[in-house]
């Protein structure tokens, strides 16, 4: 949802060479002059002179997996994968053409354990610790966004920039409610409120973004979050 930044550099070799001999040149505020490299296309660097839109809104959906825990989502016990849901919305601010910040809100639910909590529990689930689980979560995080493709591109390359590789990293606060299910039913086992020391988490990842037009981008993203909390 951001506009690409194109920089066109015009070099006038002959005037620049002749002016370089004048060691007493003084800027009069008119262009072109010695201090503008001979270019007449000069304007003050102000907020109104930006060539790209530095604010945008992002939204997306995905599938969360718990990879490292007592009850996981990936082939835990019964050899099956359990799929949850996740959605996010963020307000994005581009600081430069290659770096920006995101204030992001996530909401979702993971599914873990020996069976899906939507299904019936085995008769002896509690005796053998073959329980099902789900975790509802809300998260607010601040992410740094590095456009790795723009870091490697030359500004004089005028080919259409459709694809871009992005790197993300940041920290945030997490609130969640964890449920467990056995033959006796489903119950709340842990609840953590946000903005506390135990609710902090870190995440990092990468995304491949495709520019549809000047206002819309489509991105596939993979993120890895570390809570450091044994209860999640």
């Amino acid at each position: 949802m951001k506009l690409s930044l194109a920089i066109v550099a015009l070099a006038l070799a002959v005037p620049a060479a002749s002016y370089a001999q004048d060691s007493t040149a003084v800027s009069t505020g008119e262009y072109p002059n010695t201090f503008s490299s001979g270019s007449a296309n000069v304007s003050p660097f102000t907020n109104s002179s930006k060539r790209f839109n530095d604010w945008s809104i992002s939204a997306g959906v995905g599938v969360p997996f718990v990879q490292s825990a007592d009850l996981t989502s990936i082939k835990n016990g019964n050899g099956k994968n359990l799929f949850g849901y996740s959605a996010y919305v963020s307000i994005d601010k581009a600081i430069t053409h290659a770096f920006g910040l995101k204030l992001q809100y996530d909401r979702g639910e993971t599914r873990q354990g020996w069976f899906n909590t939507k299904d019936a529990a085995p008769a002896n689930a509690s005796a053998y610790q073959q329980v099902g689980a789900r975790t509802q979560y809300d998260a607010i995080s601040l992410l740094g966004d590095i456009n790795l493709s723009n870091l490697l591109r030359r500004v004089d390359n005028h080919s259409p920039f459709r694809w871009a590789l992005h790197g993300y990293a940041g920290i945030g606060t997490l609130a969640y409610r964890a449920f467990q299910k056995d033959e006796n039913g489903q119950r709340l086992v842990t609840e953590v409120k946000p903005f506390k020391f135990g609710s902090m988490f870190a995440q990092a990842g990468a995304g491949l973004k495709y520019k549809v037009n000047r206002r819309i981008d489509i991105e596939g993203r993979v993120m890895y979050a570390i809570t450091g909390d044994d209860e999640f």
Side-chain angles (χ1 to χ4, degrees), residues 72-231:
T72 66
S73 306
I74 305 173
K75 299 188 183 306
N76 184 72
N78 60 6
K80 295 182 180 179
N81 298 324
L82 298 178
F83 300 92
Y85 71 88
S86 178
Y88 77 89
V89 61
S90 69
I91 299 175
D92 312 330
K93 167 69 173 179
I95 308 301
T96 70
H97 70 292
F99 177 74
L101 294 174
K102 293 175 174 288
L103 181 61
Q104 182 167 303
Y105 169 72
D106 293 82
R107 182 178 178 84
E109 180 177 282
T110 65
R111 296 194 177 274
Q112 307 138 250
W114 287 71
F115 59 91
N116 195 321
T117 54
K118 294 181 179 180
D119 302 331
N124 57 353
S126 59
Y128 294 97
Q129 292 297 306
Q130 296 179 354
V131 297
R134 64 187 179 94
T135 305
Q136 298 174 338
Y137 65 89
D138 297 88
I140 299 176
S141 56
L142 182 65
L143 297 173
D145 175 6
I146 298 180
N147 188 327
L148 301 173
S149 298
N150 275 357
L151 287 177
L152 302 175
R153 284 177 177 144
R154 292 169 50 123
V155 296
D156 58 351
N157 184 347
H158 302 298
S159 60
F161 297 156
R162 291 291 185 183
W163 295 93
L165 182 63
H166 287 250
Y168 304 100
I171 59 173
T173 182
L174 184 70
Y176 65 87
R177 299 195 303 163
F179 298 84
Q180 227 177 65
K181 184 177 181 179
D182 54 24
E183 73 274 14
N184 298 315
Q186 188 171 173
R187 62 192 179 278
L188 176 67
V189 293
T190 304
E191 183 173 8
V192 172
K193 300 294 185 179
F195 304 109
K196 294 183 178 180
F197 181 75
S199 69
M200 302 300 291
F201 76 102
Q203 62 176 326
L208 183 61
K209 187 174 292 187
Y210 177 76
K211 178 181 176 182
V212 178
N213 54 43
R214 289 173 60 86
R215 295 192 178 274
I216 298 176
D217 295 338
I218 296 177
E219 180 182 27
R221 185 188 301 182
V222 177
M223 301 294 295
Y224 190 85
I226 303 175
T227 65
D229 190 346
D230 292 337
E231 304 294 338

Side-chain angles (χ1 to χ4, degrees), residues 48-89:
S48 59
S49 65
K50 294 179 300 186
R51 297 187 181 182
F52 62 97
N53 183 8
D54 55 359
W55 287 97
S56 61
I57 297 176
S58 303
V61 295
V63 178
F65 293 98
V66 177
Q67 181 265 334
S68 179
D70 292 335
L71 297 174
T72 66
S73 306
I74 305 173
K75 299 188 183 306
N76 184 72
N78 60 6
K80 295 182 180 179
N81 298 324
L82 298 178
F83 300 92
Y85 71 88
S86 178
Y88 77 89
V89 61

Side-chain angles (χ1 to χ4, degrees), residues 15-30 32-38:
S18 60
Y19 292 150
Q21 305 302 317
D22 186 357
S23 60
T24 61
V26 177
S27 175
T28 62
E30 298 179 356
N33 60 36
T34 303
F35 307 100
S36 66
S37 299

